[in-house]
Amino acid sequence: MNDSDITTTEQRRLMLVDDDPNLVVLVSDYLEFRGYEVVTAENGKKALELLEHEIPDLIICDIMMPEMDGYTLVKLIRENRRLSWIPVLFLSAKGQSQDKVKGLNTGADVYIVKPFEPEELIAQVESSLRQATRLIGHRKPAIQTTQKLRVRENVELTPTELRVVQLVARGLGNREISKMMKVSQRTVESHVSNMLGKTGLHNRTELARWALESQEF
């Protein structure tokens, strides 16, 4: 199987979150023409309501929206264990370098500046879906065949700890995590140590396994 087969063997459901009705129609039509099923929401608040009932394979999201902007939406998604694995692509007219950095640090996987070429959007969607599929497909057999972890009950992590453990689960090291979160490696090490203490786990590998299992990868 080649990479393109991953996204064409079954119809993928995408969520498009944008308050511009003209853009929603254009992007939805283009994505549906390429074989995707598209669910739409006009702002972050409506998107969260939809996410209570269905989980898309990927979210495409504007930043500047009424009621709830894209930054807040992505932050809430990344803090929710049921949703945190979903790839998110930001579409925004805010094209300065600091805007892109803020978007990626908030938790988006890709940042595309409006106006954009439809083919660029499709390429980024397919790339993100392939990456998510490879991660899930690679980790799942190991989780199913390994002895069950023993974790303390009622573990509560802070939002920052949740972000760190999600990055650990992706296989990132402390240096990479510190750069993404703009904190020191010592701070990352401290968060990892705190989580090991809270969970009763022994190492980063077990912590990553626990994160993936908890998030139903």
Side-chain angles (χ1 to χ4, degrees):
M1 177 183 293
N2 57 42
D3 281 347
S4 63
D5 291 332
I6 294 176
T7 56
T8 57
T9 53
E10 61 180 88
Q11 188 177 41
R12 297 300 190 99
R13 174 173 293 185
L14 312 182
M15 179 177 289
L16 174 60
V17 189
D18 201 299
D19 64 328
D20 183 344
N22 293 324
L23 183 140
V24 168
V25 170
L26 289 173
V27 174
S28 295
D29 286 349
Y30 197 81
L31 291 169
E32 288 171 353
F33 177 75
R34 296 298 291 260
Y36 295 102
E37 179 182 353
V38 182
V39 178
T40 64
E42 61 265 34
N43 56 54
K45 183 178 178 181
K46 294 292 185 181
L48 283 180
E49 292 175 0
L50 290 174
L51 289 168
E52 291 180 3
H53 307 290
E54 58 180 302
I55 299 180
D57 296 291
L58 179 142
I59 296 172
I60 301 170
C61 182
D62 189 16
I63 291 179
M64 305 306 294
M65 297 180 291
E67 296 196 55
M68 181 185 291
D69 64 16
Y71 294 134
T72 304
L73 173 62
V74 173
K75 181 176 183 292
L76 292 173
I77 287 172
R78 293 297 179 237
E79 292 172 359
N80 186 316
R81 293 182 182 179
R82 187 175 66 92
L83 307 174
S84 61
W85 62 271
I86 302 174
V88 177
L89 280 67
F90 266 150
L91 288 182
S92 177
K94 298 166 69 66
Q96 298 296 318
S97 295
Q98 59 265 32
D99 297 321
K100 297 178 183 179
V101 169
K102 182 177 180 180
L104 294 172
N105 283 340
T106 300
D109 298 279
V110 177
Y111 193 107
I112 301 178
V113 178
K114 301 176 183 176
F116 55 89
E117 292 294 331
E119 288 298 331
E120 177 190 3
L121 175 61
I122 292 296
Q124 293 287 8
V125 166
E126 293 179 348
S127 175
S128 296
L129 287 172
R130 285 197 298 268
Q131 183 176 0
T133 301
R134 283 196 295 266
L135 177 62
I136 294 169
H138 175 72
R139 308 263 185 182
K140 216 166 192 178
I143 291 172
Q144 293 173 343
T145 57
T146 307
Q147 185 177 0
K148 185 175 177 62
L149 291 172
R150 295 182 179 179
V151 183
R152 290 173 180 162
E153 296 182 358
N154 302 319
V155 175
E156 293 186 4
L157 302 183
T158 67
T160 302
E161 288 172 343
L162 280 172
R163 182 63 177 148
V164 171
V165 78
Q166 288 158 8
L167 295 174
V168 169
R170 293 184 191 179
L172 300 182
N174 287 350
R175 179 178 295 180
E176 296 169 300
I177 295 173
S178 68
K179 288 181 179 179
M180 291 185 67
M181 298 186 65
K182 292 188 173 181
V183 297
S184 68
Q185 289 189 55
R186 185 177 295 276
T187 298
V188 176
E189 291 169 1
S190 177
H191 285 308
V192 171
S193 177
N194 288 340
M195 287 186 286
L196 290 175
K198 288 181 177 181
T199 59
L201 297 172
H202 300 93
N203 52 52
R204 289 172 65 95
T205 301
E206 289 188 351
L207 196 61
R209 274 191 55 206
W210 171 70
L212 292 173
E213 290 174 350
S214 299
Q215 295 166 25
E216 299 182 354
F217 270 74

